Amino acid sequence: MTNNIIREAAKEFGVSAAQVEKTLDLFEQGATIPFIARYRKEVTGSMDEIMLAKLQTAIAKGEAFEKRKEYVLKTIEEQDALTPELKKRIENITDADELEDVYLPFKSKRKTKGAKAREAGLEGLANILMAGREYNTQ
């Protein structure tokens, strides 16, 4: 997990980054929200159960967003279209909608069965078969 996610969560919930990290460690160790809220107040800065649940959700969303950014960068790089400027722009994006807008021109299009057959070189065969049908129907 990146420090950026931890810093953003700390700022959002009004606690220190160290408290967020320690709270996440408790989650990773299998501690439940009620347990942490009741018995680990010194670690969390006295966050209640609602705040802990929101923190857990915010961290999960942040991690998913970071994974999506990595996927977008990898996909664009595989297309040999990743410039240093584009990479920097994607790395600095903080909004999921903006990320998708930047990724849209590089997103692979869905292929129909017909398009796949054309790529496989079957268009000529299809034309021959279609021409044969026309002769058989008369």
Side-chain angles (χ1 to χ4, degrees), residues 3-66:
N3 288 333
N4 191 28
I5 296 171
I6 292 172
R7 279 193 308 257
E8 288 295 319
K11 190 166 100 176
E12 181 179 338
F13 293 99
V15 295
S16 72
Q19 288 173 319
V20 171
E21 276 189 71
K22 290 177 184 175
T23 303
L24 294 177
D25 288 340
L26 290 171
F27 284 133
E28 288 175 10
Q29 294 171 9
T32 62
I33 290 175
F35 175 82
I36 295 170
R38 289 186 191 110
Y39 303 111
R40 297 294 183 254
K41 290 181 181 185
E42 73 284 354
V43 172
T44 65
S46 297
M47 286 199 284
D48 63 4
E49 292 178 359
I50 295 170
M51 287 180 67
L52 288 169
K54 287 181 180 179
L55 173 67
Q56 195 174 34
T57 302
I59 294 296
K61 283 182 181 179
E63 288 175 340
F65 181 68
E66 289 297 319

Side-chain angles (χ1 to χ4, degrees), residues 42-91:
E42 73 284 354
V43 172
T44 65
S46 297
M47 286 199 284
D48 63 4
E49 292 178 359
I50 295 170
M51 287 180 67
L52 288 169
K54 287 181 180 179
L55 173 67
Q56 195 174 34
T57 302
I59 294 296
K61 283 182 181 179
E63 288 175 340
F65 181 68
E66 289 297 319
K67 285 181 184 178
R68 180 67 179 165
K69 279 170 65 170
E70 289 173 14
Y71 173 79
V72 167
L73 284 169
K74 180 181 163 197
T75 304
I76 295 173
E77 186 175 11
E78 287 173 354
Q79 296 174 10
D80 292 328
L82 187 63
T83 63
E85 297 83 24
L86 181 59
K87 182 176 182 177
K88 186 175 182 180
R89 181 177 177 199
I90 291 172
E91 288 173 346

Side-chain angles (χ1 to χ4, degrees), residues 81-122:
L82 187 63
T83 63
E85 297 83 24
L86 181 59
K87 182 176 182 177
K88 186 175 182 180
R89 181 177 177 199
I90 291 172
E91 288 173 346
N92 292 330
I93 290 175
T94 58
D95 181 52
D97 291 333
E98 184 181 353
L99 177 64
E100 294 305 318
D101 289 343
V102 170
Y103 178 53
L104 189 63
F106 304 99
K107 203 173 203 178
S108 61
K109 314 297 184 265
R110 281 200 167 176
K111 294 183 182 177
T112 63
K113 289 181 180 180
K116 290 178 185 176
R118 282 187 200 94
E119 286 179 5
L122 298 175

